[in-house]
Amino acid sequence: SSFADAEDIPLHAYFDVSFVDDAAVAIHAETLPEVEGLIKLVVESFHAAARARGLDVNFNQGKTEVLWDILGKGSKALKERLHDSGQWLSWHQEANTFNLRVSHSYKHLGSWMQTGGYHQREIAQRASLAMQSWGCLARSFYHKRHVGLNAKTTVFQSLSMSRMMYNAHTWVGVTDDLLATWQQKLRKPLGLMTKPLLKGIAPVKVDTIDLFALAQILPPTDQLHVARLRYLK
């Protein structure tokens, strides 16, 4: 009910976030065997609940997977065991055989999640989508001299920046260096749009944040801060 008055988190716990037919379950425990036991318990329970409602869980690769940040005592032996099995966690329960793939990244509701709190793949995906939306209009719109800068920045904010900022407020533990790399991905389109305002100065000699300022667009790092404040509100 309040971010300021958080209850103590149990040593062994899990919670689920479901959206229509898509569900994510977060699990944590003190030791690797306890984590593995919780994973199996949750999967078996989810399978039983689905089966009772006439549904079948798809355990194929890319459909139902576990992101497991394997750390602590026994991690080396566990990693070797998973490597030998092809990164599959397999076990039997009564008449059922479960095969669950252990992955380092997983796409959930349009966002890439990675183990260990890393965001490189998601940042690369966001930047790629933003550049694609810019590239498909580069010749027909952004390179036209008779189109004003205000029109270009409005379209760029709506099409490219929206893809760049999608779900960025959920990134946890992202470093300043990684955010700077993420922001730098849009240097090329901003440099081309603001080139007439630079009065002969090459865009490569101007800081990326200054290019955003010339285009009258908030830099991605500032837009990220705004998005976090809106999320908390």
Side-chain angles (χ1 to χ4, degrees), residues 42-196:
V42 168
V43 170
E44 292 169 5
S45 302
F46 195 89
H47 168 77
R51 181 63 62 87
R53 290 161 176 80
L55 303 173
D56 191 22
V57 182
N58 188 348
F59 285 99
N60 291 335
Q61 182 176 344
K63 294 298 183 180
T64 301
E65 296 185 338
V66 56
L67 269 69
W68 193 353
D69 194 15
I70 302 175
L71 299 170
K73 185 178 180 181
S75 58
K76 182 178 179 181
L78 178 58
K79 289 178 181 178
E80 289 176 348
R81 174 162 65 90
L82 290 174
H83 180 269
D84 293 339
S85 64
Q87 300 301 320
W88 287 92
L89 190 64
S90 304
W91 73 96
H92 300 279
Q93 184 257 342
E94 296 180 355
N96 300 310
T97 299
F98 295 96
N99 293 292
L100 189 66
R101 181 170 173 80
V102 180
S103 178
H104 298 290
S105 61
Y106 184 76
K107 195 172 187 179
H108 180 67
L109 298 180
S111 297
W112 281 103
M113 298 187 295
Q114 293 180 261
T115 58
Y118 298 117
H119 302 285
Q120 287 91 334
R121 188 166 187 176
E122 175 67 3
I123 284 175
Q125 174 79 354
R126 297 283 127 231
S128 175
L129 291 175
M131 289 298 292
Q132 286 176 16
S133 66
W134 170 80
C136 66
L137 293 175
R139 285 190 176 183
S140 60
F141 181 76
Y142 290 112
H143 288 176
K144 299 296 184 182
R145 294 186 178 181
H146 60 271
V147 179
L149 181 61
N150 288 338
K152 292 178 181 179
T153 55
T154 301
V155 173
F156 186 79
Q157 176 70 43
S158 299
L159 297 181
S160 297
M161 289 303 299
S162 60
R163 288 167 170 79
M164 192 76 165
M165 301 303 304
Y166 178 77
N167 259 0
H169 62 277
T170 63
W171 297 344
V172 178
V174 62
T175 62
D176 292 338
D177 290 341
L178 205 53
L179 287 178
T181 302
W182 169 61
Q183 183 170 261
Q184 198 77 0
K185 299 289 186 179
L186 295 182
R187 181 179 181 85
K188 180 179 179 180
L190 264 296
L192 292 174
M193 279 194 295
T194 58
K195 191 174 181 179

